[in-house]
Amino acid sequence: MATPLALVTTSLAFIFLLLVCPTANGFAYIDPSNGSIPGNSKKTVKTGNEQQHNAVLPHDCDPQLLQEHAQFAYELADAARLEILPYWRQSRHTLGQEIKVEKDRSVFQSASPVTLADRAAERAMRALITERYPHHGVYGEEYGVLREDADWVWVLDPIDGTRSFITGKPLFGTLIACLYKGTPVIGVIDQCILNERWLGLAGQVSTLNGVPIQTDGVVTLNEAEMYSTTPDMFQHGDELNKFDAMRQAVKSPHYGADCYAYALVASGFGADIVVEADLGLYDYCALVPVIQGAGGSITDWNGVELTLQNHEISKGRVLACANAKLHDQALEILSKPNLKSSDALDEPCMTLVDDGNVPSTLFPVA
């Protein structure tokens, strides 16, 4: 006969599962092989070659192994959710906030917050990788790099957008990438609060909760809606001048969405461009297959592919666009050598769209 304590414990566990693990309105495991959600009859509509995508699977990468690893990436995302959700909208004390200081970074990245949720989520994912694929490499934001030279390397950012997370704003995400010989071939963007999960696989159409997605951007910069996490991520001088030029060229600049902005571009939800700088490898690898598989373009500011081998060359400067035409126009600005402030703007750029995240610094040009 069960003891009263055991009955109480079981009841509490059941209530927790109902609150954070529902299959309809909360999060649920989504099978990447067919887009199905257990307990939900909705299936992915197969599109075949109806949608263009420009992410090419490396010729020596086994497609079956890719699918196996995509399934595993979903398991990693599920494990991260279980660690993150209990900390959602909790007190500073519960979150255990600390400041991580890094030298030679932008104003934005030089002192960044980290929480118990960040660390717990990465530990959970790393433990699963070590158990299932002990010879794979791991490149994580919180716990460093192991076997970086392995053929298969998992790149993890447990909470991309920790500033949003600690202030109760659901515009953060868990980023999970799998690299094959340095090239991102699997990317997951997981937003556990909104129950949104994007999947990108090299050579396949990207999906949102199992449903195929496609970019839907404009084709000229002066019509484009552009995102950047903050102007403070651009170093004073050439980077900032180029950002100012982009901010002047587009219809409206927006701020404060981190990885979620890339998901908006991939989904065709109205965002057209993301321009950022000073990103870590873990900040962008997962975004590459998602953007490319939705028909978009994503490179560094010089049009160089975003890979493990190119990280030092690219210097964390990322440009993502809804289509190749926009991408080419943006590259004309961002790849221009030694752009000066006088070249960047003909007049002060002080018009900002209020997303509830007004940047801490404005950069008018006299």
Side-chain angles (χ1 to χ4, degrees):
M1 182 175 178
T3 65
L5 179 60
L7 289 173
V8 170
T9 303
T10 302
S11 299
L12 289 174
F14 179 71
I15 291 170
F16 176 77
L17 288 173
L18 286 177
L19 289 173
V20 303
C21 305
T23 58
N25 298 320
F27 78 85
Y29 176 76
I30 305 167
D31 184 351
S33 65
N34 60 21
S36 65
I37 303 174
N40 189 331
S41 61
K42 187 173 183 179
K43 304 286 184 179
T44 297
V45 178
K46 302 295 182 181
T47 59
N49 295 322
E50 296 172 8
Q51 181 178 349
Q52 293 183 347
H53 45 82
N54 57 11
V56 178
L57 184 68
H59 71 279
D60 60 341
C61 182
D62 184 347
Q64 291 187 340
L65 200 54
L66 185 74
Q67 291 293 336
E68 175 188 314
H69 291 161
Q71 182 96 5
F72 181 63
Y74 269 47
E75 295 179 37
L76 295 179
D78 287 341
R81 284 188 173 199
L82 287 174
E83 300 298 334
I84 293 169
L85 284 168
Y87 289 98
W88 175 239
R89 290 181 175 170
Q90 297 300 308
S91 67
R92 288 180 173 85
H93 175 74
T94 300
L95 288 172
Q97 291 182 37
E98 296 179 3
I99 297 297
K100 180 169 55 178
V101 177
E102 298 179 78
K103 295 181 179 180
D104 301 320
R105 301 295 300 273
S106 64
V107 173
F108 180 69
Q109 299 283 22
S110 61
S112 57
V114 62
T115 71
L116 294 175
D118 294 82
R119 294 184 172 128
E122 184 169 323
R123 284 198 304 269
M125 290 189 285
R126 294 175 81 106
L128 287 174
I129 294 168
T130 299
E131 179 183 0
R132 186 79 60 86
Y133 300 112
H135 301 298
H136 284 196
V138 183
Y139 194 119
E141 179 175 16
E142 306 304 334
Y143 291 103
V145 183
L146 291 174
R147 296 177 291 277
E148 186 178 356
D149 58 347
D151 280 352
W152 294 94
V153 176
W154 295 90
V155 182
L156 311 173
D157 189 345
I159 300 180
D160 181 73
T162 302
R163 288 176 175 85
S164 290
F165 180 74
I166 64 178
T167 55
K169 183 174 66 176
L171 295 184
F172 63 91
T174 297
L175 298 180
I176 301 166
C178 189
L179 313 186
Y180 179 68
K181 295 184 177 179
T183 298
V185 293
I186 298 171
V188 171
I189 306 171
D190 190 61
Q191 214 308 310
C192 58
I193 306 303
L194 302 177
N195 188 33
E196 295 176 325
R197 184 175 293 176
W198 287 263
L199 172 67
L201 298 180
Q204 299 185 31
V205 177
S206 297
T207 60
L208 167 55
N209 289 353
V211 178
I213 57 174
Q214 186 169 11
T215 60
D216 185 29
V218 297
V219 294
T220 59
L221 286 181
N222 63 359
E223 300 176 288
E225 304 288 348
M226 184 183 79
Y227 266 95
S228 304
T229 296
T230 171
D232 287 341
M233 72 192 324
F234 303 98
Q235 297 276 9
H236 284 269
D238 189 56
E239 276 188 0
L240 185 55
N241 292 339
K242 290 176 178 179
F243 168 70
D244 275 334
M246 285 295 300
R247 187 167 61 179
Q248 178 75 357
V250 300
K251 181 180 179 180
S252 301
H254 305 259
Y255 303 96
D258 294 278
C259 65
Y260 201 77
Y262 297 84
L264 296 177
V265 171
S267 303
F269 289 157
D272 304 298
I273 300 175
V274 185
V275 175
E276 299 199 299
D278 198 27
L279 299 183
L281 191 77
Y282 38 76
D283 290 318
Y284 63 77
C285 275
L287 312 173
V288 174
V290 175
I291 290 287
Q292 291 179 334
S297 298
I298 180 169
T299 65
D300 76 0
W301 287 12
N302 291 308
V304 176
E305 292 183 8
L306 296 170
T307 66
L308 177 62
Q309 294 85 351
N310 291 339
H311 179 61
E312 293 302 321
I313 299 172
S314 299
K315 299 180 180 179
R317 298 168 179 167
V318 174
L319 167 66
C321 296
N323 54 66
K325 289 184 179 180
L326 272 183
H327 191 258
D328 289 343
Q329 293 168 53
L331 282 179
E332 288 183 13
I333 295 173
L334 295 173
S335 64
K336 186 176 181 179
N338 302 318
L339 186 68
K340 296 180 181 179
S341 180
S342 59
D343 299 325
L345 297 173
D346 295 327
E347 58 187 36
C349 179
M350 296 294 290
T351 303
L352 301 177
V353 172
D354 183 5
D355 285 331
N357 294 285
V358 178
S360 58
T361 308
L362 300 179
F363 299 101
V365 176

